[in-house]
Amino acid sequence: MCNGEGEYVCHDNQCICQCADEYPQCNCPITDIQIMENTLLGMSESWAASYKDFESSDEFKSFLKRLPSTHFLPISSVHLLWGSDWDLQARYRLLQSSLEIQRLKIQRTARKLFGLSIRCHHNPNHQMPRERSVMQWLNRVQSFLYCNENGFWGTFLESQRTCVCHTGVTLCQRPIPCVIGGNNSCAMCSLANISQCGSCNKGYKLYRGRCEPQNVDSERSEQFISFETDLDFQDLELKYLLQKMDSRLYIHTTFISNEIRLETFFDPRWLVATQKAGACPLGNTGYPRWEKVRLQNSQCFNWTLLLGNRWKTFFETVHIYLRSRAKIPTGLRNDTGQGPVDLADPNKRQIYIKISDIQVFGYSLRFNADLLRSAVQQVNQSYTQGTQFYSSSSVMLLLLDIRDRINRLAPPSAPGKPQLDLFSCMLKHRLKLNNSEMIRVNHALDMYSTEILKQSDHLTAKLC
């Protein structure tokens, strides 16, 4: 068949399709290609259906039901339970065998498809489905346990102990149980609130749902910095007040940019907005994303970033920066966005934007900079005099507690990486310590923690 654009020419009992010059693809088997592409699409759907069948199996459901729900299960614990369930392993081997058969069929069909496509100006867009690794299945189990609520589904991030909900709303997350273990981990989770500790290990005491060394007075820490107060709104409460733009939550904000001004059109492709609070990896590792809502009867959009009460900052004011990106295509550097823009050009109307107004809403907690600076200076002086372990033990315990609680508020680090050092950022930017003073204070606290309290080393990564 020559697709109506050529004629058969036979020679020595062999017939080929001789194409006219204006129709070089007359012998292209387009019908066969379409059939094979549809076949591959059906095979991919069968591959996905195999996963659903496994998750719907009695063995998998029984495994989920038998998992402990009284405490948090890290992926290492799920792995041990996964490997010791013989019925589940037998069903998992059946799944692997089925996927291997399907994979060979998909490969054969894909080879035929690409072979036929050589005769056409057609580039098949097909990717081989990848089999889930055991680690992906273990994370899937965690997601079933902790991110499957209210009819919504999400993916669990163990490094942040939070869910990323697939629908964009935060309703998929169940209460995450507490972590049981040694030292300052819980001995048992609370029956009233499974996310908090119910009892602690020897040498530790229960304080507001968490375990801390018995010789630490967290009530005293609250005199320096308010970490937990009645002002802490739940995320849904805060979102409701934001929607109302409640004036009681309005915070003075400064917009800073050397490139543009408010109410000035600019090309956003070479500028990026940042907030001075450490760096916020928006949309990653549990951080929220910008929410975009179009205003009624307008071409404008309202962009909202809701950090919630999880991410606190120790800066005195909020600065919104608009900066050039680190690497900008040369062709985009010609337009600075400073001068008037001719919006009569339809192409530019689709590219250029302007920022009319920026508002920040939130609330402030107690931060006694003078009292905290005095405590830090005591540690600094004791360290230089060589008496840091004895002359200021109460101050050492106080600052160890404050450092631990501040660093819990740091941006999340990548899995397997040390916790980020937000405490040093506070020393540098709020208390105005120089680098040598910061090093002395942290070293004194580390020495006291390891040599006197016999606690493990405090490993952190530089943030500021």
Side-chain angles (χ1 to χ4, degrees):
M1 182 176 180
C2 295
N3 293 331
E5 297 160 351
E7 60 179 2
Y8 278 111
V9 177
C10 297
H11 180 71
D12 293 337
N13 296 325
Q14 289 186 350
C15 294
I16 62 173
C17 197
Q18 183 170 322
C19 302
D21 292 340
E22 62 269 27
Y23 299 116
Q25 298 184 71
C26 69
N27 60 350
C28 173
I30 189 65
T31 303
D32 294 339
I33 288 176
Q34 292 174 345
I35 292 175
M36 287 191 178
E37 286 182 333
N38 291 333
T39 301
L40 284 173
L41 181 61
M43 289 179 173
S44 297
E45 293 174 351
S46 298
W47 184 282
S50 298
Y51 285 146
K52 292 183 178 179
D53 290 342
F54 176 72
E55 292 175 354
S56 302
S57 66
D58 294 336
E59 294 84 355
F60 187 78
K61 289 181 178 179
S62 298
F63 171 70
L64 290 179
K65 289 180 180 179
R66 288 194 296 269
L67 292 176
S69 59
T70 56
H71 60 273
F72 175 72
L73 286 179
I75 204 165
S76 56
S77 299
V78 178
H79 195 189
L80 291 174
L81 296 170
W82 171 279
S84 61
D85 191 316
W86 299 110
D87 292 336
L88 178 68
Q89 290 302 307
R91 182 64 181 82
Y92 182 59
R93 285 192 291 271
L94 287 177
L95 170 67
Q96 290 178 307
S97 300
S98 174
L99 293 179
E100 178 62 20
I101 294 173
Q102 294 183 55
R103 185 181 65 82
L104 294 175
K105 289 182 179 179
I106 292 174
Q107 282 183 337
R108 286 196 297 267
T109 306
R111 290 194 189 100
K112 292 179 181 178
L113 172 63
F114 281 92
L116 292 174
S117 300
I118 294 176
R119 293 151 60 184
C120 309
H121 289 313
H122 179 76
N123 187 20
N125 184 18
H126 174 72
Q127 292 183 344
M128 287 291 296
R130 292 185 178 182
E131 185 176 353
R132 286 180 190 164
S133 65
V134 172
M135 292 301 294
Q136 288 175 314
W137 275 112
L138 299 180
N139 179 252
R140 185 87 171 166
V141 170
Q142 287 183 313
S143 300
F144 272 110
L145 292 176
Y146 308 127
C147 308
N148 186 17
E149 188 75 354
N150 300 314
F152 297 98
W153 171 254
T155 300
F156 185 71
L157 302 176
E158 181 171 333
S159 60
Q160 309 309 320
R161 288 170 52 79
T162 189
C163 298
V164 177
C165 299
H166 297 168
T167 56
V169 296
T170 57
L171 300 177
C172 71
Q173 182 166 318
R174 294 177 175 176
I176 308 297
C178 76
V179 176
I180 61 172
N183 297 328
N184 63 342
S185 297
C186 307
M188 185 179 70
C189 297
S190 170
L191 297 178
N193 185 349
I194 197 170
S195 299
Q196 298 181 351
C197 297
S199 62
C200 301
N201 296 302
K202 185 178 180 180
Y204 293 83
K205 64 180 180 180
L206 190 64
Y207 176 77
R208 292 188 177 181
R210 61 186 180 87
C211 296
E212 62 178 23
Q214 288 182 340
N215 51 7
V216 170
D217 184 6
S218 290
E219 292 289 352
R220 188 183 175 200
S221 300
E222 292 287 340
Q223 300 174 12
F224 291 75
I225 304 177
S226 294
F227 293 95
E228 303 163 275
T229 74
D230 295 334
L231 288 175
D232 272 4
F233 294 101
Q234 295 298 318
D235 286 350
L236 290 179
E237 294 176 314
L238 194 58
K239 191 167 187 177
Y240 172 74
L241 293 174
L242 280 176
Q243 289 173 346
K244 292 179 59 178
M245 292 191 175
D246 194 306
S247 60
R248 293 172 297 177
L249 295 180
Y250 180 75
I251 295 177
H252 178 69
T253 310
T254 303
F255 178 80
I256 301 174
S257 177
N258 292 327
E259 284 89 359
I260 71 161
R261 297 180 296 274
L262 294 179
E263 292 287 353
T264 302
F265 282 96
F266 66 94
D267 186 343
R269 293 174 298 174
W270 59 279
L271 294 174
V272 59
T274 61
Q275 176 190 4
K276 185 177 180 182
C280 295
L282 303 180
N284 299 320
T285 57
Y287 269 83
R289 297 180 183 272
W290 286 95
E291 296 181 7
K292 177 183 177 183
V293 178
R294 185 162 188 165
L295 302 180
Q296 291 183 351
N297 304 322
S298 173
Q299 293 183 335
C300 297
F301 291 88
N302 187 28
W303 292 74
T304 303
L305 179 66
L306 179 62
L307 296 179
N309 62 9
R310 168 64 178 88
W311 312 112
K312 296 181 175 67
T313 176
F314 296 99
F315 290 89
E316 297 176 88
T317 186
V318 177
H319 293 82
I320 304 294
Y321 290 87
L322 200 64
R323 291 171 168 160
S324 300
R325 294 182 185 273
K327 294 182 179 180
I328 310 169
T330 306
L332 295 180
R333 288 186 180 271
N334 297 331
D335 255 338
T336 63
Q338 285 283 3
V341 178
D342 180 16
L343 294 181
D345 185 350
N347 294 326
K348 288 191 175 181
R349 277 206 305 266
Q350 297 177 1
I351 295 175
Y352 281 82
I353 67 171
K354 70 175 179 179
I355 299 175
S356 299
D357 188 26
I358 292 178
Q359 290 183 327
V360 175
F361 295 87
Y363 52 94
S364 299
L365 302 178
R366 183 190 303 113
F367 189 98
N368 194 325
D370 293 333
L371 195 59
L372 192 56
R373 188 179 295 107
S374 175
V376 169
Q377 291 299 338
Q378 288 185 50
V379 173
N380 196 11
Q381 293 173 6
S382 298
Y383 182 82
T384 56
Q385 296 170 5
T387 58
Q388 69 270 23
F389 291 164
Y390 307 105
S391 63
S392 56
S393 59
S394 62
V395 177
M396 289 288 190
L397 293 172
L398 172 72
L399 288 181
L400 280 172
D401 180 55
I402 291 177
R403 182 173 73 170
D404 177 63
R405 298 171 75 179
I406 285 179
N407 282 339
R408 291 180 197 172
L409 301 174
S413 56
K417 299 295 183 180
Q419 187 181 50
L420 294 175
D421 187 7
L422 183 60
F423 178 74
S424 293
C425 296
M426 185 273 296
L427 296 179
K428 178 178 181 180
H429 293 291
R430 286 303 303 271
L431 304 187
K432 309 302 181 184
L433 268 63
N434 58 41
N435 288 336
S436 60
E437 290 173 326
M438 287 166 47
I439 293 173
R440 285 199 296 267
V441 169
N442 276 306
H443 189 254
L445 294 176
D446 290 340
M447 293 287 288
Y448 188 86
S449 177
T450 55
E451 297 195 13
I452 302 300
L453 301 182
K454 305 300 182 183
Q455 296 179 353
S456 58
D457 289 339
H458 179 74
L459 298 178
T460 56
K462 184 179 180 181
L463 178 61
C464 296

